[in-house]
Amino acid sequence: MADTLQDFILAYCEEVGALVERPAYNLVDILLPDGIAHRLQSDTYLRLALSEEAAATHPDALHLTYGHPLLENIEEDVRGRGQAVHLFINDVRLEKLGLFEAIQKELGLPNARLRSQKNAMARPQLHHYVRFNFKVALITDEKHEELVSVIMDLHSGQPAWALEEARFPLPLEREYRLRPLPDASPFWKPDLPLLSVERLTWLQELAAQAVAKKLESRIETLQQRTGRRLELDRARLEAYYDDTAAELERRIARAADEERRRGLEDKLVFTRAERERKLSDVEAKYRLRLAMNLINVAFITQPKLALEASIENRYTSIAHDFVWDPLLHRVEPPLCQVCGQPRYRLHLCTTGHLAGDECILYCSACKREFCALCQDDIGACAVCGRSLCTHSQIRCKVCGRVTCQEHVGQCHTE
Amino acid sequence: MQQETQNTGPAITNGNRYDIVLTPDNQAVLRTLAHQNFASERAYYLRLHSERLSLIQGFEELLALEAIAVNPFPYQTQTARTALRRFRGRGLLCDEVGLGKTIEAGLVLKEYLLRGLVRKVLILTPPALVEQWREEMASKFLLTDFVTNEDPQFRALGQQAWSTFARVIASVATARRAEHRQAIEKVQYDMVIVDEAHHLKNRASASWKLVNALQKKYILMLTATPVQNNLDELYNLITALKPGQLKTQREFKQRFVVRGDPRLPKNRGELRALLADVMVRNTRSQVSIHLPRRRAHTILLRLTPPEQALYDKVSTFVREAMRTAEAASGRRHKGLDRFTLQILQREIGSSALAVRPTLVKLAANDGLPTDQRATLGRLAEQSAQIDRLAKTEALLKLLAASDEKAIIFTHFLATLDYLAEQIRAAGYDLVVYRGELTSAQKNETIARFEREGQFLLSTEAAGEGRNLQFCRRMINYDLPWNPMRIEQRVGRIHRIGQEREVEIFNLSAEGTIEDYILNILDRKINLFELVIGEMDMVLGNLADERDFEEIVLDIWTRAHSKEDLAEGMEKLGEALVQARQSYLETKAYDEALFGQDFGVE
């Protein structure tokens, strides 16, 4: 990818179909198409010096620097292009022997087992990611900018950390070379079409939070620095206004007449109000804002394999589509249906939800497992607070509250 | 004119640690994706590269330097960096007069604007400097959308104007009035600049209270004389900037002021350390700015009898009309207004040719009383009879006395056209510079003057922003009444880059207003030998806060005799002398107090 101003200008010329000659280092002769020249408010022929040395050696050349109107016009033109690109991962093998066994090996089901479905076959389907390229401005009383990207899985709404952390460059291509395949259904916000503005808007918010997570250590350093300054400013203001208030109070106590005393009291009220205002001003000044400007997006399509299998325990049984990623050679962790986080270790709750360890609730009486989505099926003992499923709850005929077996009748004695 | 706009989306508050704000413009990219309007891979990477080029890091590199129309001196750039990095946008700029505090403040403002850290700006200045600030922001910093409190669209909105316009320049006098102050205090400013901040020396003053009450993220205060009478003033200034920096008033006095002498500091080392956190003061000697001397010559002449007769009659007419206008003050008045009368008086001070078109136009104005029209008509006829101008003859003699290049200034186009004809007829190579030339024509005119022209004849247009220091002689054919305008003219040739002694010739007709003005400015306070910027300080010390032109016109029109006039002008002269003296005392005090401890170099 281009890094220098020269690279940028040359890439732009190529994009717009301009003719380019490079008579010397950091010196370019450009013949722009008429329409482009008009858009840039420039002549069609340009000789550009892209460094001070080139400008000094060739005084007839236009010295193009950052902030020059021509460069700004070029940047403006570029801003109108390249907002979205479609890239494909073609170089994958769409078959996996022993896929069910691989899933079994990865998945941890503490209260259920995995069963293969009769005649179930691995089905190739297209999965999609969106790479969000943000320009992030970290703003307190100064501003630092960075370009930060994050790849989001369009189906799960999750950051594709595994893809980002892959040790090889992603084999992205401009054209799709495999046979036509159906799109995989999204399991996050399944009611929204895959490429709808609404889904993408939700995804953008999640992407923004993922970006903030990526910048965590930078944010922490910045907040430490501004935190110190905020503390100093706050201490200065508090000391000043507290001392001023104390002086006023002393003068009030010594005030010879009522009128003078009232005047000083008014001043004291005003000083206290001003103190709060100034403190609030200074806090607002140092509060960190992450302003995220979305530069462009890459829509990345990759075929994967899906295999349906059953997860069952003595209370319930569900069918679930597991996904094999042929690029990363792994089974993708299913999502906890409560928090949406990817997990290899999942519980099957009594009502048929898959939930991670943190999202599971146990009935303290019968030990059945419920999740936060089963709010209606689980409550708590009014006396000891332990979780109880509806089967294990005992409702008091006097006060109507529920208790466990141990605390029957004690609910209305408090 | 710029209106207030929002360009941020709602914030996602992350457990109170920070806010994430997604720009509303992002939706356009999402829509492009949703509609599958895909671009080429090259265009995609080009877009990313473009953004990478424009990444902003810390304040080590100033973006503003590439985006302004002026070349700051190194000390000015360094001062801006200090204000940005060390003071974090809250500082006192106290350079000596003429070193360019406006440039330093403008640089800081431009930097913040380019980085998107500032949107809402308020510049508070004395009334006389409001337009000058607008001019400088536009010409030097390419900030052309400032609104002033005198603009019709501002006045039309009343108090709402303060929150409506994003960039405002206002006089402190207007802003501190009760009906405006309430509205201003509600606005959240990103940046406030206060010029001539020594007017905030008193905490009990409405100006101080206003600035203190403003909600602002950044504030710059500019003054060449931060302390005028005693150290309390310094305390008040710093406290408006950064409350608590110098502790409470009692503590400040105990720690830093010698008992019994409110002007004398103690514990200077500690005080200096506290001030260095908020203050920069560059001095001439530190920044090595030395200019050659400038010398003024007055060529006093007598008008020809017809000229004198016309001058006297026009002056009498102006006086009487002015008295009539003042007597009718507040009531509907059919006669000429003060502004038009001032123009007439100034035109006749230039030449009979300058005043003639105005006399003719006014004589034909049906809205004026018949008697005034009749008088104006007679004066117009009288002016047409004049074929000899004493000043022009004196000018031609002056031009013949030297081969050197010279710039000739006149305020009025009619005078300019006549002089051009006369000078060319005398066989001189003359270049003419007028305000209505295009930018390219102006550049070419100056280039031709530098290359080959002997004389440049110009209106005030060449007094604004042009560097003409390749020339060292200047002739004022007529004199503006405003000393700042005179300084502006002189400043075109007496500036950095001028290596030779500058000579200024003032043509002055005996007994005219201009003669009196010149007498006061040159002979009383040596205007032409003051350092650039000092005239402004002297005028700022005048007890009478009106414009100098207004004061002069007032004295002229109220005088019933030559003795009255001489006495009035003498009093004004004395007031200026005292103002100058006061300024020099303050200057000496500040030099003793601050020395060279607060410069950036």
Side-chain angles (χ1 to χ4, degrees), chain A residues 14-15 83-84 133 135 141-143 145 174 204 216 223 236 274 278 287-288 290 292 294 296, chain B residues 16-17 19 21 23 26 32 39 41-42 44 49 51 54 56-57 88 115 203 212 218 243:
Chain A
E14 207 183 324
E15 172 66 14
Q83 287 191 336
N133 298 312
K135 187 180 205 172
D141 61 335
E142 53 182 28
K143 186 177 180 182
E145 284 184 338
R174 273 179 281 190
Q204 187 198 206
E216 196 62 45
Q223 284 185 317
R236 167 178 57 82
E274 197 175 89
K278 297 278 186 188
R287 183 167 174 83
L288 176 62
L290 268 57
M292 300 205 190
L294 184 59
N296 57 10
Chain B
N16 281 331
R17 289 182 59 218
D19 301 321
V21 178
T23 326
N26 296 0
T32 304
E41 200 182 353
R42 185 174 48 217
Y44 167 80
H49 189 179
E51 290 299 331
S54 65
I56 295 171
Q57 297 309 328
R88 313 206 78 81
R115 287 166 185 259
R203 287 178 76 173
N212 185 52
Y218 308 118

Side-chain angles (χ1 to χ4, degrees), chain B residues 397-596:
Chain B
K397 267 196 195 139
L398 187 57
L399 298 184
S402 169
D403 283 338
E404 272 198 78
K405 279 189 203 295
I407 301 169
I408 305 155
F409 276 108
T410 175
H411 188 82
F412 297 100
L413 282 173
T415 308
L416 181 136
D417 288 337
Y418 174 75
L419 289 179
E421 204 184 290
Q422 297 299 308
I423 295 170
R424 282 183 176 131
Y428 295 111
D429 185 354
L430 178 72
V431 179
V432 177
Y433 189 103
R434 304 159 73 108
E436 52 280 16
L437 295 177
T438 65
S439 195
Q441 285 169 333
K442 282 177 179 169
N443 290 340
E444 175 48 32
T445 303
I446 299 300
R448 190 164 102 65
F449 175 49
E450 187 174 3
R451 257 190 336 257
E452 60 208 41
Q454 194 175 356
F455 300 117
L456 176 77
L457 176 64
S458 176
T459 59
E460 306 301 340
E464 290 160 13
R466 290 275 159 190
N467 297 338
L468 302 167
Q469 62 267 46
F470 53 83
C471 174
R472 71 170 200 99
R473 294 176 98 224
M474 189 178 101
I475 302 168
N476 288 315
Y477 185 84
D478 50 45
L479 214 60
W481 291 7
N482 185 341
M484 300 309 300
R485 281 267 178 220
I486 301 173
E487 253 205 359
Q488 261 179 333
R489 287 182 180 183
V490 174
R492 293 311 105 221
I493 59 174
H494 191 237
R495 58 190 298 114
I496 305 297
Q498 178 59 263
E499 285 159 9
R500 301 171 294 168
E501 188 176 274
V502 160
E503 285 195 288
I504 304 152
F505 298 90
N506 300 310
L507 298 179
S508 177
E510 217 176 297
T512 60
I513 284 192
E514 289 74 15
D515 183 25
Y516 283 101
I517 291 174
L518 202 53
N519 189 44
I520 294 171
L521 295 179
D522 187 19
R523 290 167 222 148
K524 284 273 188 189
I525 61 165
N526 296 322
L527 163 70
F528 297 99
E529 278 155 37
L530 287 178
V531 167
I532 196 129
E534 286 192 322
M535 188 65 225
D536 193 13
M537 303 305 301
V538 172
L539 288 178
N541 272 349
L542 275 183
D544 192 331
E545 287 188 350
R546 289 178 297 163
D547 280 348
F548 190 80
E549 289 158 305
E550 264 195 66
I551 301 173
V552 162
L553 186 65
D554 222 22
I555 297 171
W556 180 259
T557 52
R558 283 184 202 285
H560 291 273
S561 65
K562 274 203 173 112
E563 289 72 28
D564 263 357
L565 182 57
E567 192 186 325
M569 291 295 185
E570 181 64 23
K571 276 191 182 142
L572 177 58
E574 282 309 311
L576 276 173
V577 167
Q578 272 177 31
R580 187 179 182 214
Q581 189 53 34
S582 170
Y583 159 66
L584 289 174
E585 282 168 9
T586 301
K587 188 177 158 189
Y589 180 39
D590 284 340
E591 274 167 10
L593 191 57
F594 301 113
Q596 302 201 358

Side-chain angles (χ1 to χ4, degrees), chain A residues 13-226:
Chain A
C13 289
E14 207 183 324
E15 172 66 14
V16 302
L19 294 176
V20 174
E21 293 265 336
R22 295 160 71 171
Y25 186 64
N26 271 326
L27 188 73
V28 286
D29 287 339
I30 298 171
L31 191 63
L32 292 167
D34 287 342
I36 301 295
H38 179 74
R39 199 157 48 229
L40 299 180
Q41 296 170 48
S42 150
D43 297 328
T44 48
Y45 169 73
L46 292 168
R47 170 164 272 206
L48 301 179
L50 301 174
S51 71
E52 290 217 16
E53 293 79 17
T57 322
H58 300 90
D60 57 319
L62 173 66
H63 184 197
L64 196 67
T65 53
Y66 301 109
H68 191 283
L70 177 61
L71 185 59
E72 286 186 358
N73 288 344
I74 291 174
E75 284 172 348
E76 187 61 41
D77 191 35
V78 165
R79 231 170 267 135
R81 305 162 184 264
Q83 287 191 336
V85 72
H86 195 172
L87 299 170
F88 302 88
I89 296 173
N90 294 306
D91 198 13
V92 291
R93 207 164 150 224
L94 282 177
E95 47 181 43
K96 170 71 181 165
L97 286 175
L99 178 53
F100 179 79
E101 287 73 22
I103 295 167
Q104 233 175 1
K105 197 172 161 202
E106 285 298 337
L107 201 61
L109 293 169
N111 71 339
R113 47 178 186 281
L114 190 71
R115 249 197 224 296
S116 68
Q117 302 232 352
K118 206 173 167 188
N119 299 327
M121 300 275 286
R123 307 176 327 269
Q125 47 186 211
L126 292 179
H127 284 247
H128 306 282
Y129 299 99
V130 178
R131 181 190 196 132
F132 289 85
N133 298 312
F134 287 106
K135 187 180 205 172
V136 182
L138 297 103
I139 303 169
T140 55
D141 61 335
E142 53 182 28
K143 186 177 180 182
H144 297 267
E145 284 184 338
E146 291 194 30
L147 293 188
V148 186
S149 299
V150 69
I151 301 177
M152 301 296 289
D153 186 322
L154 198 54
H155 302 271
S156 65
Q158 294 297 313
W161 296 125
L163 205 63
E164 296 224 358
E165 288 155 15
R167 287 203 199 125
F168 48 86
L170 296 182
L172 298 172
E173 297 178 51
R174 273 179 281 190
E175 304 290 331
Y176 181 63
R177 287 191 287 104
L178 304 178
R179 67 183 190 281
L181 293 171
D183 286 328
S185 305
F187 28 96
W188 168 70
K189 298 202 182 292
D191 300 332
L192 295 176
L194 210 53
L195 267 187
S196 64
V197 173
E198 208 183 329
R199 172 185 287 276
L200 292 170
T201 305
W202 279 107
L203 197 65
Q204 187 198 206
E205 266 194 43
L206 295 170
Q209 292 182 12
V211 161
K213 199 166 167 188
K214 271 185 153 183
L215 292 172
E216 196 62 45
S217 73
R218 192 100 154 75
I219 289 170
E220 188 139 344
T221 309
L222 200 56
Q223 284 185 317
Q224 271 174 12
R225 221 164 51 212
T226 55

Side-chain angles (χ1 to χ4, degrees), chain A residues 270-283:
Chain A
F270 178 78
T271 300
R272 288 191 174 131
E274 197 175 89
R275 177 190 192 275
E276 292 316 305
R277 203 166 39 78
K278 297 278 186 188
L279 284 173
S280 151
D281 274 354
V282 93
E283 291 199 17

Side-chain angles (χ1 to χ4, degrees), chain A residues 1-5 7-8 11-12 14-15 65-66 75 78-79 81-87 130-135 139 141-147 174 195 197 200-201 204-205 208-209 212 216 219 223 229 233 236-237 240-241 243-244 247 250 274 277-278 281 285 287-299, chain B residues 8 12-14 16-23 25-59 66 87-88 90 112 114-117 188 203 211-218 235 239-240 242-245 247-251:
Chain A
M1 200 186 306
D3 271 340
T4 64
L5 181 58
D7 291 335
F8 174 69
Y12 177 74
E14 207 183 324
E15 172 66 14
T65 53
Y66 301 109
E75 284 172 348
V78 165
R79 231 170 267 135
R81 305 162 184 264
Q83 287 191 336
V85 72
H86 195 172
L87 299 170
V130 178
R131 181 190 196 132
F132 289 85
N133 298 312
F134 287 106
K135 187 180 205 172
I139 303 169
D141 61 335
E142 53 182 28
K143 186 177 180 182
H144 297 267
E145 284 184 338
E146 291 194 30
L147 293 188
R174 273 179 281 190
L195 267 187
V197 173
L200 292 170
T201 305
Q204 187 198 206
E205 266 194 43
Q209 292 182 12
E216 196 62 45
I219 289 170
Q223 284 185 317
R229 289 199 289 265
D233 276 357
R236 167 178 57 82
L237 287 169
Y240 170 71
Y241 282 103
D243 288 350
T244 305
E247 274 180 41
R250 280 194 291 273
E274 197 175 89
R277 203 166 39 78
K278 297 278 186 188
D281 274 354
K285 183 181 166 187
R287 183 167 174 83
L288 176 62
R289 262 187 324 139
L290 268 57
M292 300 205 190
N293 179 25
L294 184 59
I295 302 166
N296 57 10
V297 289
F299 183 55
Chain B
T8 55
I12 306 165
T13 300
N14 191 296
N16 281 331
R17 289 182 59 218
Y18 50 83
D19 301 321
I20 297 173
V21 178
L22 293 164
T23 326
D25 291 349
N26 296 0
Q27 286 297 107
V29 177
L30 298 181
R31 274 195 299 274
T32 304
L33 175 58
H35 297 142
Q36 301 187 53
N37 292 335
F38 294 122
S40 70
E41 200 182 353
R42 185 174 48 217
Y44 167 80
Y45 286 117
L46 196 59
R47 179 87 182 83
L48 282 174
H49 189 179
S50 164
E51 290 299 331
R52 198 175 297 117
L53 285 180
S54 65
L55 282 181
I56 295 171
Q57 297 309 328
F59 288 120
E66 300 288 334
F87 302 164
R88 313 206 78 81
R90 294 180 85 99
Y112 277 136
L114 286 175
R115 287 166 185 259
L117 285 167
Q188 296 257 15
R203 287 178 76 173
V211 171
N212 185 52
L214 290 174
Q215 297 180 74
K216 64 251 178 216
K217 204 159 70 165
Y218 308 118
Y235 176 82
T239 299
K242 211 171 169 187
Q245 179 67 14
K247 313 277 189 278
T248 63
Q249 195 162 18
R250 198 166 58 87
E251 284 171 297

